[in-house]
């Protein structure tokens, strides 16, 4: 049975404010942030360091609460959504258990959390982790220990592990930033394949404009001081988005557009900071 709630957004931030510290040392990590993400969308947050990207993920995952405004995940508070195991997270570094094989690493969370399999059993079958690993190019690596794998392969295993829990919403905080460009592109491919198959809502943080454009249905441009959403750009490019995408004029037009938005956000930030109106 599907949930009965009226069609709630997968993620909804309304007028969210988050401040760290007090008085003169306070940092406004997010101010007036509005964002609505429909189920199944792939959305990236992009912006310079300190603009509140990780703060958004911490609020959506329920690790922190907003000082003002609201955050909802499928119509629930993040704490409720976490308790219902709707939220998955892929960190910047893979954090696999070194003494377990790759296969056991990715199946362990399912064993600990059999609800994830049951919740999906009614709608769609719980994914076969061996199959997911094979799709992610880790067929030969299943029985190896993490230390026997490259960094890119380890991160791939971490992504499979997160998708394997069948979260409704997957949060990814710069998951590819530690990888070389070639590895990164191949992981983007695999991420898109998994996303396409499992229809999870993805909220993805990146510093890379081309990565954001290639992966996303929507790119959310953010600026710092105070951290805020300055633009929401829908990426109207056909999928699948393979390597040929890089030869497409439209792809580069989107890159240029987003770089332009980032630059103008910077300029307005500088002006606001100089003018002392950093609210
Ligand atoms: P991003 O992920 O975009 O780089 P963050 O969301 O991590 O940015 O941080 C936004 C702002 O809030 C930054 O100025 C950062 O220094 C500040 N900040 C984040 N976490 C804390 C904290 N726990 N205590 C104080 N300031 C913080
Ligand atoms: Mg961050």
């Amino acid at each position: 049975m599907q949930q009965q709630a009226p069609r709630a957004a997968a993620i909804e931030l309304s007028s969210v404010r988050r401040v760290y510290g007090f008085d003169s040392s306070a940092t406004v990590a997010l101010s007036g942030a509005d964002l609505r993400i429909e189920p199944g969308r792939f959305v990236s947050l992009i912006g310079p360091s300190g603009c509140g990207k990780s703060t958004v993920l911490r609020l959506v995952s329920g690790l922190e609460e907003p000082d003002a405004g609201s955050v909802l995940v499928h119509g629930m508070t993040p704490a409720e959504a976490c308790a219902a195991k709707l939220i998955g997270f892929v960190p910047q570094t893979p954090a696999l258990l070194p003494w377990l094989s790759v296969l056991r690493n990715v199946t362990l969370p399912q064993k600990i959390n059999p609800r994830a399999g049951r919740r999906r059993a009614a709608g769609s079958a719980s994914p076969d982790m061996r199959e997911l690993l094979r799709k992610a190019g880790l067929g030969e690596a299943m029985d190896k220990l993490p230390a026997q794998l490259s960094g890119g392969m380890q991160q791939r295993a971490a992504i499979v592990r997160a998708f394997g829990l069948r979260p409704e919403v997957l949060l990814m905080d710069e998951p590819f930033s530690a990888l070389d460009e070639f590895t990164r592109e191949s992981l983007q491919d695999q991420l898109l394949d998994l996303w396409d198959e499992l229809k999870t809502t993805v909220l993805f943080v990146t510093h890379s404009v081309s990565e954001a454009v290639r992966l996303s249905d929507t790119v959310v441009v953010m600026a710092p001081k105070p951290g805020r959403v300055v633009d929401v750009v829908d990426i109207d490019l056909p999928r699948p988005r393979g390597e040929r995408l890089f030869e497409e004029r439209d792809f580069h037009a989107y890159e240029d557009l987003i770089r332009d938005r980032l630059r103008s956000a910077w300029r307005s930030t500088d002006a606001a900071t100089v003018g002392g109106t950093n609210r």
Side-chain angles (χ1 to χ4, degrees):
M1 281 270 288
Q2 289 290 306
Q3 279 162 3
Q4 291 299 312
R7 196 176 154 74
I11 299 172
E12 189 163 21
L13 277 67
S14 307
S15 307
V16 168
R17 183 175 175 84
R18 179 77 180 112
V19 182
Y20 295 106
F22 300 97
D23 302 331
S24 57
S25 66
T27 302
V28 182
L30 271 182
S31 172
D34 289 312
L35 189 61
R36 185 185 162 93
I37 300 176
E38 300 300 332
R41 303 276 290 179
F42 197 121
V43 177
S44 292
L45 304 179
I46 194 162
S49 288
C51 67
K53 304 181 295 295
S54 297
T55 301
V56 170
L57 294 198
R58 285 194 295 270
L59 292 169
V60 172
S61 67
L63 280 173
E64 293 179 7
E65 291 188 5
D67 294 290
S70 70
V71 179
L72 292 175
V73 178
H74 284 273
M76 298 174 223
T77 65
E80 290 166 344
C82 269
K85 307 288 181 205
L86 297 192
I87 301 176
F89 188 76
V90 177
Q92 205 162 343
T93 50
L96 301 173
L97 297 174
W99 60 88
L100 291 182
S101 71
V102 168
L103 181 63
R104 294 200 56 205
N105 259 287
V106 301
T107 51
L108 183 67
Q110 290 192 313
K111 290 190 179 128
I112 294 173
N113 171 33
R115 289 185 57 191
R118 273 214 310 279
R119 179 164 50 78
R120 286 302 189 139
S124 51
S126 171
D128 176 354
M129 299 310 285
R130 288 174 189 276
E131 186 55 30
L132 281 189
L133 284 168
R134 270 192 286 271
K135 282 206 173 101
L138 292 170
E140 308 283 297
M142 278 187 223
D143 298 319
K144 294 192 171 155
L145 292 173
Q148 296 173 279
L149 271 57
S150 69
M153 290 167 92
Q154 291 184 31
Q155 190 60 308
R156 226 178 283 176
I159 291 168
V160 169
R161 177 178 58 184
F163 272 108
L165 280 170
R166 301 302 302 257
E168 298 287 336
V169 168
L170 186 58
L171 308 174
M172 307 181 80
D173 199 348
E174 302 189 38
F176 305 152
S177 61
L179 305 172
D180 64 85
E181 188 155 338
F182 183 74
T183 308
R184 199 178 173 126
E185 275 175 25
S186 112
L187 261 73
Q188 289 170 3
D189 286 337
Q190 261 127 18
L191 172 60
L192 286 175
D193 286 348
L194 285 170
W195 170 72
D196 188 47
E197 183 171 329
L198 302 178
K199 313 288 182 219
T200 309
T201 309
V202 177
L203 184 54
F204 186 96
V205 170
T206 180
H207 274 118
S208 160
V209 173
S210 72
E211 181 166 88
V213 173
R214 178 172 189 214
L215 294 175
S216 311
D217 296 314
T218 301
V219 177
V220 177
V221 180
M222 297 180 66
K225 298 182 182 175
R228 63 201 189 279
V229 173
V230 289
D231 224 321
V232 176
V233 180
D234 285 332
I235 309 296
D236 191 12
L237 292 171
R239 295 184 187 268
R241 298 181 186 166
E243 280 169 22
R244 299 294 297 273
L245 185 74
F246 301 122
E247 295 158 25
E248 302 270 338
R249 188 189 294 236
D250 288 351
F251 171 78
H252 296 291
Y254 276 117
E255 281 189 319
D256 290 346
L257 173 75
I258 286 166
R259 286 209 179 90
D260 199 52
R261 301 283 160 90
L262 282 165
R263 267 194 296 270
S264 48
W266 260 126
R267 279 197 292 273
S268 67
T269 298
D270 286 348
T273 308
V274 170
T277 53
N278 176 20
R279 284 184 293 121

